[in-house]
Amino acid sequence: ITIKRSTIYADANTKAGTSRINARAAIGSGCYGAIGNIYITESKIEAKSEGGAGIGSGGYYSDDSSGELNWKGGACGLITIRNSDVTSYGGDGGAGIGGGWGTPVKDIEIENSNIKAEGSSIAYTYTDGNTIYQGAAGIGGGWSESCEKIYIDNSTVDASGRESSAGIGSSGSYNKYAKNWDASVKGSIEIGSSTVKARGGSGGAGIGAGEGATFDSGTEIIFRGDCKIDATGGVGGAGIGGGKAGYDD
């Protein structure tokens, strides 16, 4: 998907009925589907999804609430935003910019842009009566899934994650239903010459990993140039760094 010199409002409303079976991104893929690269430049974008990422991949849905979650939705490729003004809201466990519910995202590159991104969460009750809140990063992974490299340069960013997830980084993977998934930070998070406000959801870092998530070997969080950073973790999460410890079988 390429968007250039455009003004776009995109709304993926999945609430016409009571099912999330049509979970999809506002800009990106549909339910279950993967999406290749998304390139936005010199544009003004407002994107709202009620079932996937605002910009990125759609969510996965299953009516089976018994047992462990072993499935995944389709991955999202490279997301590039340059010289643009973007406001993006995820829905039902989808990131503002990145992965939908249960879907990972590759690299995210933001340059010379103004960004507001909010992840989302959904309460889900399993047949054993246990209810968990499945949240996503503001910029990064969808619920219980990973992000790769995140690069932000010469930009102003306001990013908020929801339950268990980082504001910028990965979501969480803190409960037995998601222990076979991978919510790690797989690439470095690099921020240069930017003003960033990042808020993690409960258990998630402001910038970094979600609750129970890990950093892959060799990954770093890097700040360079004239950065102004305001990063706050949720309960138990670092402002910058790791999230709260996760599920222990």
Side-chain angles (χ1 to χ4, degrees):
I1 298 174
T2 298
I3 299 172
K4 186 174 183 179
R5 299 194 186 105
S6 300
T7 299
I8 292 177
Y9 173 76
D11 188 351
N13 188 333
T14 65
K15 300 293 187 177
T18 59
S19 175
R20 291 170 53 237
I21 194 69
N22 292 317
R24 60 206 188 273
I27 297 174
S29 70
C31 187
Y32 310 99
I35 183 70
N37 298 335
I38 299 173
Y39 180 72
I40 298 170
T41 184
E42 300 176 67
S43 296
K44 183 173 183 178
I45 307 292
E46 183 175 358
K48 296 181 179 180
S49 172
E50 293 186 350
I55 298 173
S57 57
Y60 192 98
Y61 178 81
S62 173
D63 289 321
D64 178 13
S65 57
S66 58
E68 296 175 2
L69 305 180
N70 295 308
W71 55 80
K72 293 184 180 182
C76 179
L78 170 67
I79 299 175
T80 302
I81 301 173
R82 292 181 179 146
N83 304 304
S84 295
D85 188 342
V86 174
T87 300
S88 188
Y89 303 94
D92 284 358
I97 298 173
W101 188 99
T103 62
V105 61
K106 292 189 179 296
D107 295 355
I108 299 173
E109 299 178 352
I110 297 170
E111 298 180 75
N112 304 311
S113 296
N114 295 314
I115 306 292
K116 181 177 176 61
E118 292 187 6
S120 62
S121 67
I122 182 170
Y124 199 78
T125 301
Y126 292 84
T127 55
D128 63 5
N130 186 33
T131 298
I132 63 172
Y133 289 86
Q134 305 168 342
I139 298 174
W143 180 77
S144 203
E145 267 299 341
S146 62
C147 65
E148 295 194 17
K149 181 178 179 180
I150 297 175
Y151 175 80
I152 299 171
D153 186 63
N154 195 34
S155 296
T156 299
V157 174
D158 185 346
S160 299
R162 290 298 179 260
E163 283 84 355
S164 81
S165 298
I168 298 173
S170 77
S171 71
S173 183
Y174 65 96
N175 65 84
K176 64 183 180 181
Y177 301 104
K179 65 183 180 181
N180 292 325
W181 287 14
D182 180 6
S184 62
V185 180
K186 294 184 171 299
S188 293
I189 299 173
E190 182 175 352
I191 299 174
S193 303
S194 297
T195 299
V196 174
K197 180 178 180 180
R199 297 288 182 266
S202 179
I207 298 173
E211 183 173 353
T214 60
F215 291 87
D216 280 11
S217 178
T219 59
E220 299 178 284
I221 299 176
I222 302 166
F223 300 99
R224 56 175 178 76
D226 184 16
C227 290
K228 296 178 176 62
I229 307 296
D230 179 0
T232 303
V235 176
I240 298 171
K244 183 180 177 181
Y247 175 79
D248 184 359
D249 197 18

